[in-house]
Amino acid sequence: MEYRNTNSIFRYIDWFTVILYVILVTAGAISIYAASYDYDHASIFAFNEYSGKQIRWIVAAFAVGLFLLLIDSRFYEIYAGPIYLSMLLLLLLTIFIAPDIKGSRSWLVLGPMSLQPAEFAKVATALALAKIFSDHNFSLTLNPKQSFIQALLIIFVPILLILGQKETGSALAYLSLFFVLYREGMSGLVLLAAACAVLFFVVAVKYTEGMILGIPAGQAAVFIMIMMIMVCMLVVYCKQYETGRNIMAGFAGAGLIATILSFCGITIPGYIFFFVCLISATVYTLLFSLRGWYHRKVTLTLVAVWASVAFLFSINYTFENILQHHQQERILVTLGIKEDLRGAGYNVNQSKIAIGSGGVLGKGFLNGTQTKLKYVPEQHTDFIFCTIGEEEGFVGSAAVLLLFLTLILRVITIAERQPSAFGRVYAYCVASYLIFHLVINIGMVIGLCPVIGIPLPFFSYGGSSLWGFTFLLFILLRIDASRNHHIV
């Protein structure tokens, strides 16, 4: 691995991104200092405090970033496979050798420090995904089935291993890579299906009180949405306006008849009513598909409808038997079904109080009462944003979000200027991880998302998260620098 001039590497580094990185990690260290500050330890460099420990992680991260910039850019593509397999093995070993910490086996204790392999596996998964997209035979548009299955395997194997560690939050972060697949040619129907699944879950769980045709209101509402999705797919996706119109009229007529009968004292069992409607619409669709429709689209439509029905009936079982009790409680609190201000809802409630009390300009650096009195648990890790909101107010919070937005847009810009599929896909993986962590963490802090333990990049205390995102970003910077062909 030869370089014509070592200085040329740094000449082509995207320094604007590096500056954003330095600003974010510096602001993160200051925020951790504010969150953990007490009057007995006034120095930010007190290495027995969280802020001092984080500064050591930051200094080490700078050294790691420099090292990553000096490595031949071809190394990341050539060894993407072995790196990925090595991380899978480490994730598997972690299940068996990691100590049980709060019900999770996801941290490896190495002397005085602990590391979370799931954070570093994000880098390996991004490299592996970029590697298969650089293969000439791989294409989600020309060879969709085989290519999509390969991509799914790369994404879901680490997810399953991390779920085996009982670390749900970290596992969910990998699902953000579906945005990368969409950018590279995956059908938008996959993202639509994911959005519908979330919507069905929320509606079915939230609206359990009240009955419609003898079944819970939430399930009835989901059945109605499934019917509407069927009509929309027939009209928009299959371009069968007449058939969609007739089925819609049939649904409306059946609903009118059921309503009239209910006023007459005759109640049709809800499940029978909805299943008869869906089966009739399915048969009608199949009969008309024999007249020369594009059968693949018809098949996908019907599969989507009945998969949605199957998903609906799996929601209760999943919620009651697969999710752990604390996860159920957090979802119920987030959806407003249950108010548990001393239990599952305590963190979020105190966090919202802290952010709200900050007002427009905040209470001032180190003057946050919620922070100083330790009302918000984990305020230096997952809930670090509430410290920013309390002390720096709306202006400071908006400034932090603007910094993240600038970084994400810069990463996307870097992605679009890559001459190779490897660089482009890897860059979009980095952007997807950043977007997911930012949205979910802020959503947790202000009560829009369940608390699932997602750190705020560069801000939350901890070396694993900081190093993981440092790896992601500086590998991208090295790949970007090598787009000029005289630098490898």
Side-chain angles (χ1 to χ4, degrees), residues 79-108:
Y79 293 99
I83 292 172
Y84 177 73
L85 293 175
S86 299
M87 286 308 307
L88 292 184
L89 179 60
L90 182 60
L91 289 175
L92 180 62
L93 290 175
T94 302
I95 299 175
F96 300 101
I97 65 176
D100 190 321
I101 302 175
K102 296 181 180 179
S104 172
R105 293 183 176 272
S106 58
W107 291 87
L108 294 178

PDB file of all heavy atoms in Angstrom, residues 79-108:
ATOM      1  N   TYR A  79     -11.760  -6.380   2.804  1.00  0.00           N
ATOM      2  CA  TYR A  79     -11.943  -7.166   4.024  1.00  0.00           C
ATOM      3  C   TYR A  79     -13.309  -6.957   4.674  1.00  0.00           C
ATOM      4  O   TYR A  79     -13.484  -7.287   5.848  1.00  0.00           O
ATOM      5  CB  TYR A  79     -10.826  -6.834   5.023  1.00  0.00           C
ATOM      6  CG  TYR A  79      -9.468  -7.299   4.557  1.00  0.00           C
ATOM      7  CD1 TYR A  79      -8.579  -6.395   3.963  1.00  0.00           C
ATOM      8  CD2 TYR A  79      -9.090  -8.630   4.674  1.00  0.00           C
ATOM      9  CE1 TYR A  79      -7.333  -6.818   3.509  1.00  0.00           C
ATOM     10  CE2 TYR A  79      -7.843  -9.063   4.228  1.00  0.00           C
ATOM     11  CZ  TYR A  79      -6.977  -8.151   3.645  1.00  0.00           C
ATOM     12  OH  TYR A  79      -5.759  -8.571   3.202  1.00  0.00           O
ATOM     13  N   ALA A  80     -14.259  -6.437   3.925  1.00  0.00           N
ATOM     14  CA  ALA A  80     -15.601  -6.226   4.481  1.00  0.00           C
ATOM     15  C   ALA A  80     -16.223  -7.542   4.934  1.00  0.00           C
ATOM     16  O   ALA A  80     -16.840  -7.614   6.008  1.00  0.00           O
ATOM     17  CB  ALA A  80     -16.497  -5.550   3.447  1.00  0.00           C
ATOM     18  N   GLY A  81     -16.069  -8.595   4.140  1.00  0.00           N
ATOM     19  CA  GLY A  81     -16.624  -9.909   4.488  1.00  0.00           C
ATOM     20  C   GLY A  81     -16.039 -10.482   5.768  1.00  0.00           C
ATOM     21  O   GLY A  81     -16.788 -10.840   6.700  1.00  0.00           O
ATOM     22  N   PRO A  82     -14.701 -10.602   5.853  1.00  0.00           N
ATOM     23  CA  PRO A  82     -14.101 -11.113   7.091  1.00  0.00           C
ATOM     24  C   PRO A  82     -14.430 -10.267   8.327  1.00  0.00           C
ATOM     25  O   PRO A  82     -14.634 -10.812   9.412  1.00  0.00           O
ATOM     26  CB  PRO A  82     -12.595 -11.068   6.783  1.00  0.00           C
ATOM     27  CG  PRO A  82     -12.511 -11.198   5.301  1.00  0.00           C
ATOM     28  CD  PRO A  82     -13.702 -10.472   4.775  1.00  0.00           C
ATOM     29  N   ILE A  83     -14.494  -8.943   8.163  1.00  0.00           N
ATOM     30  CA  ILE A  83     -14.848  -8.077   9.298  1.00  0.00           C
ATOM     31  C   ILE A  83     -16.264  -8.385   9.772  1.00  0.00           C
ATOM     32  O   ILE A  83     -16.535  -8.500  10.977  1.00  0.00           O
ATOM     33  CB  ILE A  83     -14.717  -6.589   8.904  1.00  0.00           C
ATOM     34  CG1 ILE A  83     -13.257  -6.221   8.673  1.00  0.00           C
ATOM     35  CG2 ILE A  83     -15.319  -5.692   9.989  1.00  0.00           C
ATOM     36  CD1 ILE A  83     -13.049  -4.832   8.089  1.00  0.00           C
ATOM     37  N   TYR A  84     -17.169  -8.554   8.818  1.00  0.00           N
ATOM     38  CA  TYR A  84     -18.564  -8.851   9.152  1.00  0.00           C
ATOM     39  C   TYR A  84     -18.691 -10.190   9.869  1.00  0.00           C
ATOM     40  O   TYR A  84     -19.359 -10.296  10.910  1.00  0.00           O
ATOM     41  CB  TYR A  84     -19.389  -8.853   7.866  1.00  0.00           C
ATOM     42  CG  TYR A  84     -20.844  -9.218   8.047  1.00  0.00           C
ATOM     43  CD1 TYR A  84     -21.744  -8.341   8.636  1.00  0.00           C
ATOM     44  CD2 TYR A  84     -21.326 -10.453   7.608  1.00  0.00           C
ATOM     45  CE1 TYR A  84     -23.083  -8.671   8.787  1.00  0.00           C
ATOM     46  CE2 TYR A  84     -22.658 -10.793   7.754  1.00  0.00           C
ATOM     47  CZ  TYR A  84     -23.529  -9.906   8.344  1.00  0.00           C
ATOM     48  OH  TYR A  84     -24.856 -10.239   8.488  1.00  0.00           O
ATOM     49  N   LEU A  85     -18.038 -11.230   9.345  1.00  0.00           N
ATOM     50  CA  LEU A  85     -18.115 -12.554   9.965  1.00  0.00           C
ATOM     51  C   LEU A  85     -17.484 -12.551  11.353  1.00  0.00           C
ATOM     52  O   LEU A  85     -17.983 -13.221  12.272  1.00  0.00           O
ATOM     53  CB  LEU A  85     -17.421 -13.583   9.065  1.00  0.00           C
ATOM     54  CG  LEU A  85     -18.107 -13.855   7.712  1.00  0.00           C
ATOM     55  CD1 LEU A  85     -17.264 -14.801   6.871  1.00  0.00           C
ATOM     56  CD2 LEU A  85     -19.509 -14.422   7.917  1.00  0.00           C
ATOM     57  N   SER A  86     -16.408 -11.803  11.518  1.00  0.00           N
ATOM     58  CA  SER A  86     -15.761 -11.713  12.828  1.00  0.00           C
ATOM     59  C   SER A  86     -16.686 -11.061  13.852  1.00  0.00           C
ATOM     60  O   SER A  86     -16.779 -11.511  15.004  1.00  0.00           O
ATOM     61  CB  SER A  86     -14.463 -10.908  12.725  1.00  0.00           C
ATOM     62  OG  SER A  86     -13.556 -11.537  11.831  1.00  0.00           O
ATOM     63  N   MET A  87     -17.412 -10.025  13.420  1.00  0.00           N
ATOM     64  CA  MET A  87     -18.331  -9.360  14.333  1.00  0.00           C
ATOM     65  C   MET A  87     -19.519 -10.248  14.677  1.00  0.00           C
ATOM     66  O   MET A  87     -20.017 -10.229  15.805  1.00  0.00           O
ATOM     67  CB  MET A  87     -18.812  -8.041  13.731  1.00  0.00           C
ATOM     68  CG  MET A  87     -17.779  -6.939  13.733  1.00  0.00           C
ATOM     69  SD  MET A  87     -17.014  -6.619  15.347  1.00  0.00           S
ATOM     70  CE  MET A  87     -18.444  -6.382  16.381  1.00  0.00           C
ATOM     71  N   LEU A  88     -19.983 -11.045  13.713  1.00  0.00           N
ATOM     72  CA  LEU A  88     -21.060 -11.986  14.017  1.00  0.00           C
ATOM     73  C   LEU A  88     -20.615 -12.987  15.072  1.00  0.00           C
ATOM     74  O   LEU A  88     -21.381 -13.329  15.990  1.00  0.00           O
ATOM     75  CB  LEU A  88     -21.502 -12.718  12.750  1.00  0.00           C
ATOM     76  CG  LEU A  88     -22.212 -11.897  11.667  1.00  0.00           C
ATOM     77  CD1 LEU A  88     -22.657 -12.822  10.525  1.00  0.00           C
ATOM     78  CD2 LEU A  88     -23.409 -11.152  12.236  1.00  0.00           C
ATOM     79  N   LEU A  89     -19.399 -13.470  14.942  1.00  0.00           N
ATOM     80  CA  LEU A  89     -18.863 -14.410  15.931  1.00  0.00           C
ATOM     81  C   LEU A  89     -18.768 -13.757  17.299  1.00  0.00           C
ATOM     82  O   LEU A  89     -19.115 -14.368  18.317  1.00  0.00           O
ATOM     83  CB  LEU A  89     -17.485 -14.902  15.482  1.00  0.00           C
ATOM     84  CG  LEU A  89     -16.771 -15.880  16.431  1.00  0.00           C
ATOM     85  CD1 LEU A  89     -17.616 -17.143  16.634  1.00  0.00           C
ATOM     86  CD2 LEU A  89     -15.397 -16.243  15.897  1.00  0.00           C
ATOM     87  N   LEU A  90     -18.337 -12.497  17.329  1.00  0.00           N
ATOM     88  CA  LEU A  90     -18.230 -11.781  18.607  1.00  0.00           C
ATOM     89  C   LEU A  90     -19.614 -11.563  19.224  1.00  0.00           C
ATOM     90  O   LEU A  90     -19.782 -11.706  20.445  1.00  0.00           O
ATOM     91  CB  LEU A  90     -17.532 -10.443  18.392  1.00  0.00           C
ATOM     92  CG  LEU A  90     -17.303  -9.587  19.642  1.00  0.00           C
ATOM     93  CD1 LEU A  90     -16.444 -10.346  20.649  1.00  0.00           C
ATOM     94  CD2 LEU A  90     -16.641  -8.266  19.269  1.00  0.00           C
ATOM     95  N   LEU A  91     -20.612 -11.245  18.385  1.00  0.00           N
ATOM     96  CA  LEU A  91     -21.979 -11.083  18.890  1.00  0.00           C
ATOM     97  C   LEU A  91     -22.497 -12.384  19.482  1.00  0.00           C
ATOM     98  O   LEU A  91     -23.171 -12.395  20.512  1.00  0.00           O
ATOM     99  CB  LEU A  91     -22.908 -10.620  17.764  1.00  0.00           C
ATOM    100  CG  LEU A  91     -22.743  -9.178  17.267  1.00  0.00           C
ATOM    101  CD1 LEU A  91     -23.653  -8.934  16.070  1.00  0.00           C
ATOM    102  CD2 LEU A  91     -23.050  -8.180  18.368  1.00  0.00           C
ATOM    103  N   LEU A  92     -22.171 -13.492  18.823  1.00  0.00           N
ATOM    104  CA  LEU A  92     -22.600 -14.807  19.322  1.00  0.00           C
ATOM    105  C   LEU A  92     -21.924 -15.136  20.650  1.00  0.00           C
ATOM    106  O   LEU A  92     -22.581 -15.597  21.598  1.00  0.00           O
ATOM    107  CB  LEU A  92     -22.291 -15.880  18.277  1.00  0.00           C
ATOM    108  CG  LEU A  92     -22.672 -17.317  18.644  1.00  0.00           C
ATOM    109  CD1 LEU A  92     -24.178 -17.435  18.857  1.00  0.00           C
ATOM    110  CD2 LEU A  92     -22.201 -18.290  17.564  1.00  0.00           C
ATOM    111  N   LEU A  93     -20.630 -14.886  20.735  1.00  0.00           N
ATOM    112  CA  LEU A  93     -19.911 -15.163  21.982  1.00  0.00           C
ATOM    113  C   LEU A  93     -20.410 -14.281  23.122  1.00  0.00           C
ATOM    114  O   LEU A  93     -20.463 -14.717  24.275  1.00  0.00           O
ATOM    115  CB  LEU A  93     -18.405 -14.936  21.771  1.00  0.00           C
ATOM    116  CG  LEU A  93     -17.687 -15.943  20.882  1.00  0.00           C
ATOM    117  CD1 LEU A  93     -16.241 -15.529  20.654  1.00  0.00           C
ATOM    118  CD2 LEU A  93     -17.744 -17.343  21.495  1.00  0.00           C
ATOM    119  N   THR A  94     -20.808 -13.060  22.792  1.00  0.00           N
ATOM    120  CA  THR A  94     -21.281 -12.130  23.816  1.00  0.00           C
ATOM    121  C   THR A  94     -22.499 -12.683  24.549  1.00  0.00           C
ATOM    122  O   THR A  94     -22.664 -12.462  25.759  1.00  0.00           O
ATOM    123  CB  THR A  94     -21.623 -10.771  23.177  1.00  0.00           C
ATOM    124  OG1 THR A  94     -20.462 -10.261  22.521  1.00  0.00           O
ATOM    125  CG2 THR A  94     -22.083  -9.771  24.230  1.00  0.00           C
ATOM    126  N   ILE A  95     -23.357 -13.409  23.836  1.00  0.00           N
ATOM    127  CA  ILE A  95     -24.552 -13.983  24.458  1.00  0.00           C
ATOM    128  C   ILE A  95     -24.176 -14.890  25.621  1.00  0.00           C
ATOM    129  O   ILE A  95     -24.856 -14.932  26.654  1.00  0.00           O
ATOM    130  CB  ILE A  95     -25.380 -14.770  23.418  1.00  0.00           C
ATOM    131  CG1 ILE A  95     -25.848 -13.834  22.296  1.00  0.00           C
ATOM    132  CG2 ILE A  95     -26.576 -15.455  24.074  1.00  0.00           C
ATOM    133  CD1 ILE A  95     -26.557 -14.562  21.170  1.00  0.00           C
ATOM    134  N   PHE A  96     -23.043 -15.587  25.488  1.00  0.00           N
ATOM    135  CA  PHE A  96     -22.666 -16.607  26.470  1.00  0.00           C
ATOM    136  C   PHE A  96     -21.666 -16.114  27.514  1.00  0.00           C
ATOM    137  O   PHE A  96     -21.656 -16.621  28.641  1.00  0.00           O
ATOM    138  CB  PHE A  96     -22.085 -17.828  25.749  1.00  0.00           C
ATOM    139  CG  PHE A  96     -23.035 -18.463  24.783  1.00  0.00           C
ATOM    140  CD1 PHE A  96     -22.927 -18.220  23.418  1.00  0.00           C
ATOM    141  CD2 PHE A  96     -24.070 -19.279  25.230  1.00  0.00           C
ATOM    142  CE1 PHE A  96     -23.813 -18.803  22.516  1.00  0.00           C
ATOM    143  CE2 PHE A  96     -24.961 -19.870  24.342  1.00  0.00           C
ATOM    144  CZ  PHE A  96     -24.835 -19.619  22.978  1.00  0.00           C
ATOM    145  N   ILE A  97     -20.825 -15.137  27.157  1.00  0.00           N
ATOM    146  CA  ILE A  97     -19.757 -14.757  28.084  1.00  0.00           C
ATOM    147  C   ILE A  97     -20.001 -13.407  28.758  1.00  0.00           C
ATOM    148  O   ILE A  97     -19.329 -13.087  29.744  1.00  0.00           O
ATOM    149  CB  ILE A  97     -18.388 -14.722  27.369  1.00  0.00           C
ATOM    150  CG1 ILE A  97     -18.355 -13.612  26.302  1.00  0.00           C
ATOM    151  CG2 ILE A  97     -18.079 -16.068  26.759  1.00  0.00           C
ATOM    152  CD1 ILE A  97     -16.991 -13.476  25.622  1.00  0.00           C
ATOM    153  N   ALA A  98     -20.952 -12.627  28.252  1.00  0.00           N
ATOM    154  CA  ALA A  98     -21.203 -11.310  28.850  1.00  0.00           C
ATOM    155  C   ALA A  98     -21.968 -11.467  30.157  1.00  0.00           C
ATOM    156  O   ALA A  98     -22.836 -12.340  30.276  1.00  0.00           O
ATOM    157  CB  ALA A  98     -21.986 -10.432  27.886  1.00  0.00           C
ATOM    158  N   PRO A  99     -21.674 -10.637  31.149  1.00  0.00           N
ATOM    159  CA  PRO A  99     -22.426 -10.693  32.414  1.00  0.00           C
ATOM    160  C   PRO A  99     -23.845 -10.172  32.228  1.00  0.00           C
ATOM    161  O   PRO A  99     -24.114  -9.384  31.315  1.00  0.00           O
ATOM    162  CB  PRO A  99     -21.620  -9.777  33.342  1.00  0.00           C
ATOM    163  CG  PRO A  99     -20.926  -8.822  32.416  1.00  0.00           C
ATOM    164  CD  PRO A  99     -20.630  -9.599  31.171  1.00  0.00           C
ATOM    165  N   ASP A 100     -24.738 -10.610  33.092  1.00  0.00           N
ATOM    166  CA  ASP A 100     -26.124 -10.157  33.041  1.00  0.00           C
ATOM    167  C   ASP A 100     -26.212  -8.790  33.725  1.00  0.00           C
ATOM    168  O   ASP A 100     -26.012  -8.653  34.923  1.00  0.00           O
ATOM    169  CB  ASP A 100     -27.034 -11.167  33.759  1.00  0.00           C
ATOM    170  CG  ASP A 100     -28.510 -10.868  33.529  1.00  0.00           C
ATOM    171  OD1 ASP A 100     -28.879  -9.680  33.527  1.00  0.00           O
ATOM    172  OD2 ASP A 100     -29.285 -11.815  33.358  1.00  0.00           O
ATOM    173  N   ILE A 101     -26.514  -7.763  32.922  1.00  0.00           N
ATOM    174  CA  ILE A 101     -26.637  -6.403  33.435  1.00  0.00           C
ATOM    175  C   ILE A 101     -28.045  -5.906  33.126  1.00  0.00           C
ATOM    176  O   ILE A 101     -28.385  -5.675  31.966  1.00  0.00           O
ATOM    177  CB  ILE A 101     -25.586  -5.462  32.811  1.00  0.00           C
ATOM    178  CG1 ILE A 101     -24.169  -5.979  33.090  1.00  0.00           C
ATOM    179  CG2 ILE A 101     -25.752  -4.050  33.351  1.00  0.00           C
ATOM    180  CD1 ILE A 101     -23.077  -5.175  32.421  1.00  0.00           C
ATOM    181  N   LYS A 102     -28.871  -5.798  34.148  1.00  0.00           N
ATOM    182  CA  LYS A 102     -30.260  -5.360  34.003  1.00  0.00           C
ATOM    183  C   LYS A 102     -31.026  -6.222  32.999  1.00  0.00           C
ATOM    184  O   LYS A 102     -31.786  -5.724  32.180  1.00  0.00           O
ATOM    185  CB  LYS A 102     -30.312  -3.885  33.585  1.00  0.00           C
ATOM    186  CG  LYS A 102     -29.736  -2.929  34.619  1.00  0.00           C
ATOM    187  CD  LYS A 102     -29.845  -1.485  34.160  1.00  0.00           C
ATOM    188  CE  LYS A 102     -29.269  -0.529  35.194  1.00  0.00           C
ATOM    189  NZ  LYS A 102     -29.351   0.897  34.763  1.00  0.00           N
ATOM    190  N   GLY A 103     -30.771  -7.511  33.034  1.00  0.00           N
ATOM    191  CA  GLY A 103     -31.489  -8.437  32.174  1.00  0.00           C
ATOM    192  C   GLY A 103     -30.937  -8.564  30.778  1.00  0.00           C
ATOM    193  O   GLY A 103     -31.483  -9.307  29.952  1.00  0.00           O
ATOM    194  N   SER A 104     -29.843  -7.884  30.476  1.00  0.00           N
ATOM    195  CA  SER A 104     -29.254  -7.912  29.143  1.00  0.00           C
ATOM    196  C   SER A 104     -27.829  -8.451  29.202  1.00  0.00           C
ATOM    197  O   SER A 104     -27.078  -8.147  30.125  1.00  0.00           O
ATOM    198  CB  SER A 104     -29.250  -6.504  28.537  1.00  0.00           C
ATOM    199  OG  SER A 104     -28.526  -6.470  27.332  1.00  0.00           O
ATOM    200  N   ARG A 105     -27.472  -9.250  28.212  1.00  0.00           N
ATOM    201  CA  ARG A 105     -26.107  -9.769  28.092  1.00  0.00           C
ATOM    202  C   ARG A 105     -25.468  -9.179  26.835  1.00  0.00           C
ATOM    203  O   ARG A 105     -25.251  -9.869  25.843  1.00  0.00           O
ATOM    204  CB  ARG A 105     -26.109 -11.293  28.027  1.00  0.00           C
ATOM    205  CG  ARG A 105     -26.560 -11.970  29.313  1.00  0.00           C
ATOM    206  CD  ARG A 105     -26.478 -13.475  29.219  1.00  0.00           C
ATOM    207  NE  ARG A 105     -26.804 -14.116  30.466  1.00  0.00           N
ATOM    208  CZ  ARG A 105     -25.946 -14.385  31.435  1.00  0.00           C
ATOM    209  NH1 ARG A 105     -24.683 -14.032  31.289  1.00  0.00           N
ATOM    210  NH2 ARG A 105     -26.319 -14.973  32.548  1.00  0.00           N
ATOM    211  N   SER A 106     -25.192  -7.899  26.860  1.00  0.00           N
ATOM    212  CA  SER A 106     -24.709  -7.217  25.665  1.00  0.00           C
ATOM    213  C   SER A 106     -23.404  -6.463  25.874  1.00  0.00           C
ATOM    214  O   SER A 106     -22.877  -5.872  24.927  1.00  0.00           O
ATOM    215  CB  SER A 106     -25.781  -6.227  25.164  1.00  0.00           C
ATOM    216  OG  SER A 106     -26.095  -5.284  26.174  1.00  0.00           O
ATOM    217  N   TRP A 107     -22.873  -6.485  27.099  1.00  0.00           N
ATOM    218  CA  TRP A 107     -21.655  -5.730  27.397  1.00  0.00           C
ATOM    219  C   TRP A 107     -20.518  -6.683  27.760  1.00  0.00           C
ATOM    220  O   TRP A 107     -20.674  -7.534  28.636  1.00  0.00           O
ATOM    221  CB  TRP A 107     -21.883  -4.769  28.556  1.00  0.00           C
ATOM    222  CG  TRP A 107     -22.815  -3.643  28.198  1.00  0.00           C
ATOM    223  CD1 TRP A 107     -24.170  -3.641  28.266  1.00  0.00           C
ATOM    224  CD2 TRP A 107     -22.434  -2.359  27.716  1.00  0.00           C
ATOM    225  NE1 TRP A 107     -24.676  -2.442  27.852  1.00  0.00           N
ATOM    226  CE2 TRP A 107     -23.633  -1.624  27.507  1.00  0.00           C
ATOM    227  CE3 TRP A 107     -21.210  -1.740  27.435  1.00  0.00           C
ATOM    228  CZ2 TRP A 107     -23.630  -0.326  27.026  1.00  0.00           C
ATOM    229  CZ3 TRP A 107     -21.211  -0.436  26.974  1.00  0.00           C
ATOM    230  CH2 TRP A 107     -22.410   0.253  26.774  1.00  0.00           C
ATOM    231  N   LEU A 108     -19.377  -6.513  27.107  1.00  0.00           N
ATOM    232  CA  LEU A 108     -18.179  -7.270  27.445  1.00  0.00           C
ATOM    233  C   LEU A 108     -17.335  -6.444  28.406  1.00  0.00           C
ATOM    234  O   LEU A 108     -16.998  -5.292  28.109  1.00  0.00           O
ATOM    235  CB  LEU A 108     -17.368  -7.578  26.183  1.00  0.00           C
ATOM    236  CG  LEU A 108     -18.022  -8.531  25.165  1.00  0.00           C
ATOM    237  CD1 LEU A 108     -17.122  -8.703  23.953  1.00  0.00           C
ATOM    238  CD2 LEU A 108     -18.315  -9.876  25.814  1.00  0.00           C
TER     239      LEU A 108
END
